Structures are given as C-alpha cells and as structure tokens.
Amino acid sequence: MRFLHTAQLSRWRLMLVGTLLLAPPALWQVAQAQAEAPVYKCPGNPVLYTDAISAKDAKAKGCSTLDGNPITVIPAPKRPTGSTSASASAPRPPESRIDPQEQRARDSDARRILQAELQREEQRLAEMQAEYNNGEPERQGNERNYQKYLDRVSELKAGIARKENDIAALKRELAKVP
C-alpha cells in the first residue's frame, strides 16, 4: 500500500474484508506479512496513509502509527498498455478486404435506400404541413373542446419539427455515401 485518502479508507476496508473472506490461504499469508509493517497516518490536506516510509521519516513529518487492524490493499489488475485506436486503424490483411466492385455495389445500394427514404420523409412532411395549414388546421368533429384542438396543433407542430430534423439527418448521410 502506498497512499490512501481518508474518503477511500472505509471503501478499501470493505473491499479487504470481502476479498479476504473468499481468499485462498496463500493470500492470508500475504495479508499477515503486510500486517506486520507499520502504517503511518501523515497530516496534511488530504490526510495520507502510507507504509512506504521509515520510522525516522515518519517522525520527521509528524506522522503517527495506526492502532488496531492494519489496512491491506490488493492492487487492481493492470490495464493493457497498447492503445485500442492504433489496433483499430491497422491495415486489414488482403484476404479480408472487400472487392472494390462489391464495395461500389454496396455504396450504390445504400445511396438508393437513403434516397428512397428521403423521398418518403419529404412527402410525409408535405402532408403534415398541408394538414397544419400554417398553424390553423381545420377542426375535427371530436374537437368540440378547444383544448383538444390546441393539443393537436402543438402535436402537428412538433411532428413537423421532427420530420425536418429527420430529413436533415438523411441529407447528411447521403452526403457521406460516395
């Protein structure tokens, strides 16, 4: 154990108890060996707990030893050192590459699908705008209550805004497809 902040101390103790209860006997021996080394509580902001200094250094810094149960810390597993983005941008082996003609066919299919969807969305937007009638749609028979009419008008307005956003997104996607 090197340094622990006071807020982490109780969390570490809970982790220690849970780990040691499930630990094999070899870990018990490691925990007992660590328990023999004194742990010092050093003043400062934040308060530090360490076993990495000698008794002489601890006295010079004004540290005091902890009484009671010692603190044991089991280190977390190491993270991989290689970056994942470097492996993602590595060139593919030749056998896994796609044939350029097949890729062009896929791109043209994607473009055709996006254009058809864009056309459907634009048509639906035109229908919604015609129904909206510049904020004054015709009242329907079930809208005798004026609030129902206002609710439908606001729903139409929100629907038009969503459709316009969808159309803008489709146009952005079409611009990306070669």
Side-chain angles (χ1 to χ4, degrees):
M1 174 185 82
R2 294 294 177 218
F3 297 103
L4 285 178
H5 298 287
T6 52
Q8 295 172 326
L9 184 59
S10 61
R11 188 173 5 167
W12 284 108
R13 282 186 180 163
L14 287 174
M15 286 176 38
L16 169 69
V17 169
T19 305
L20 290 180
L21 289 175
L22 302 173
L27 281 180
W28 279 101
Q29 292 171 352
V30 171
Q32 288 173 349
Q34 285 181 349
E36 295 169 7
V39 177
Y40 297 100
K41 177 181 178 182
C42 299
N45 188 14
V47 175
L48 296 177
Y49 295 87
T50 182
D51 65 348
I53 59 176
S54 66
K56 190 178 194 182
D57 291 338
K59 188 174 183 179
K61 292 182 179 181
C63 301
S64 60
T65 58
L66 287 179
D67 296 328
N69 293 333
I71 301 170
T72 304
V73 176
I74 299 173
K78 301 277 184 186
R79 290 186 179 176
T81 56
S83 67
T84 56
S85 62
S87 63
S89 63
R92 292 182 182 181
E95 62 272 1
S96 68
R97 291 190 182 169
I98 299 172
D99 181 46
Q101 290 178 345
E102 185 179 338
Q103 185 62 44
R104 278 194 288 275
R106 288 181 183 181
D107 291 342
S108 67
D109 287 346
R111 177 173 283 286
R112 184 174 33 81
I113 290 168
L114 285 172
Q115 285 175 337
E117 190 172 347
L118 176 65
Q119 189 176 14
R120 278 193 308 271
E121 294 295 319
E122 286 176 339
Q123 182 179 6
R124 180 65 184 130
L125 176 65
E127 291 170 4
M128 290 174 79
Q129 286 174 337
E131 184 181 352
Y132 185 62
N133 193 25
N134 292 327
E136 297 178 4
E138 291 184 26
R139 289 180 78 162
Q140 296 175 346
N142 63 350
E143 295 175 338
R144 292 181 187 205
N145 183 348
Y146 189 67
Q147 186 60 45
K148 283 186 178 182
Y149 172 76
L150 293 177
D151 291 343
R152 186 171 66 93
V153 170
S154 66
E155 287 176 18
L156 284 171
K157 186 176 181 180
I160 289 172
R162 280 192 303 272
K163 281 293 178 206
E164 288 171 345
N165 289 337
D166 292 346
I167 289 171
L170 284 170
K171 287 181 179 178
R172 284 192 303 271
E173 287 297 316
L174 267 171
K176 292 179 187 177
V177 177

